[in-house]
């Protein structure tokens, strides 16, 4: 892809994300996206069929980036199984939380409520597939819970702008243990 096309796509993406966050997906129009991106609406249509196709493209782009982050962090699952998940988790979450464009993209995509696009379900699927792939657990319930918790943790830190705290996550796990098994 040539540099001009990359710049155009980046402008369209940024305009869409900003407008979705300020106006809401249902109110955003292709004309608004084009105006914000400083392109002709025809140029938008040269790349995307409509705003839903753009949202699907951004979802897939983000999920591909996230899947790559997970794969990088989980490739050596012996470290994880040996109890070093904390370093992997902290690095993974920090790489997302510290990236302003990723944060805005997640917030924008999560705000879209459409029958044809379910960001949360797709995100959970990517996490689940990678937990299976790297043999973190074979139990479907465990995988589903970990995937859901991962998304909630990311959401919390994105929305609050607090720095990621591993000790806080450890305290959450300890609280869950006390709730599930109060005799401990």
């Amino acid at each position: 892809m040539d540099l001009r096309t990359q710049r155009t796509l980046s402008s369209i993406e940024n305009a869409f994300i900003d407008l979705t966050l300020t106006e809401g997906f249902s109110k955003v129009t292709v004309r608004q996206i084009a105006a914000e991106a400083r392109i002709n609406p025809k140029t938008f249509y040269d790349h995307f069929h409509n705003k839903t196709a753009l949202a699907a493209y951004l979802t897939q782009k983000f999920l591909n980036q996230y899947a790559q982050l997970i794969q990088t962090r989980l490739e050596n699952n012996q470290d994880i199984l040996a109890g070093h998940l904390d370093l992997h988790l902290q690095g993974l979450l920090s790489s997302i939380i510290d990236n302003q464009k990723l944060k805005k993209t997640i917030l924008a995509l999560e705000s879209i409520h459409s029958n044809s696009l379910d960001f949360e379900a797709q995100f959970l699927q990517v996490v689940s597939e990678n937990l299976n792939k790297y043999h973190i657990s074979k139990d479907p319930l465990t995988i589903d819970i970990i995937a859901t918790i991962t998304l909630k943790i990311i959401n919390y830190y994105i929305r609050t702008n607090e720095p990621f705290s591993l000790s806080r996550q450890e305290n959450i796990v300890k609280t869950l243990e006390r709730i599930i098994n109060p005799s401990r």
Side-chain angles (χ1 to χ4, degrees):
M1 182 182 317
D2 68 41
L3 187 58
R4 193 177 79 181
T5 302
Q6 287 176 358
R7 277 192 229 138
T8 299
L9 285 174
S10 182
S11 293
I12 291 170
E13 291 171 16
N14 292 334
F16 174 79
I17 290 166
D18 290 342
L19 287 167
T20 299
L21 289 172
T22 58
E23 305 292 325
F25 180 73
S26 63
K27 293 180 181 176
V28 173
T29 66
V30 170
R31 286 195 181 284
Q32 286 175 305
I33 296 168
E36 182 79 15
R38 296 185 175 158
I39 60 169
N40 187 302
K42 183 193 174 314
T43 304
F44 176 92
Y45 288 116
D46 287 344
H47 298 281
F48 303 101
H49 180 67
N50 56 31
K51 69 180 183 179
T52 303
L54 172 56
Y57 166 81
L58 283 172
T59 297
Q60 196 56 55
K61 183 177 175 181
F62 170 77
L63 292 175
N64 289 344
Q65 288 175 309
Y66 186 73
Q68 185 60 45
L69 287 171
I70 290 175
Q71 289 170 7
T72 300
R73 299 290 177 190
L74 298 181
E75 279 178 344
N76 190 351
N77 67 356
Q78 295 305 319
D79 285 348
I80 293 166
L81 296 174
H84 302 292
L85 181 59
D86 54 349
L87 298 176
H88 291 274
L89 180 63
Q90 186 166 1
L92 176 63
L93 291 173
S94 294
S95 63
I96 292 170
I97 294 165
D98 296 340
N99 185 318
Q100 289 300 316
K101 183 168 182 176
L102 280 180
K103 284 171 58 170
K104 287 173 65 174
T105 301
I106 292 169
L107 291 172
L109 294 173
E110 282 185 332
S111 73
I112 300 171
H113 302 287
S114 165
N115 293 336
S116 61
L117 184 69
D118 188 343
F119 174 77
E120 184 174 320
Q122 290 177 285
F123 180 89
L124 295 175
Q125 183 66 31
V126 167
V127 174
S128 296
E129 287 171 0
N130 280 281
L131 292 174
N132 268 321
K133 179 179 177 180
Y134 291 100
H135 310 291
I136 302 302
S137 176
K138 293 182 182 194
D139 177 34
L141 178 60
T142 301
I143 290 170
D144 189 44
I145 289 171
I146 291 171
T148 302
I149 289 171
T150 301
L151 182 59
K152 294 298 180 189
I153 290 170
I154 290 170
N155 280 335
Y156 178 82
Y157 286 105
I158 286 173
R159 292 181 191 286
T160 64
N161 288 316
E162 290 180 24
F164 176 75
S165 167
L166 188 58
S167 64
R168 188 171 190 187
Q169 308 320 303
E170 290 169 346
N171 286 333
I172 292 169
V173 171
K174 288 175 186 173
T175 302
L176 282 170
E177 287 175 344
R178 285 194 307 268
I179 291 169
I180 293 169
N181 189 0
S183 64
R184 278 188 162 182

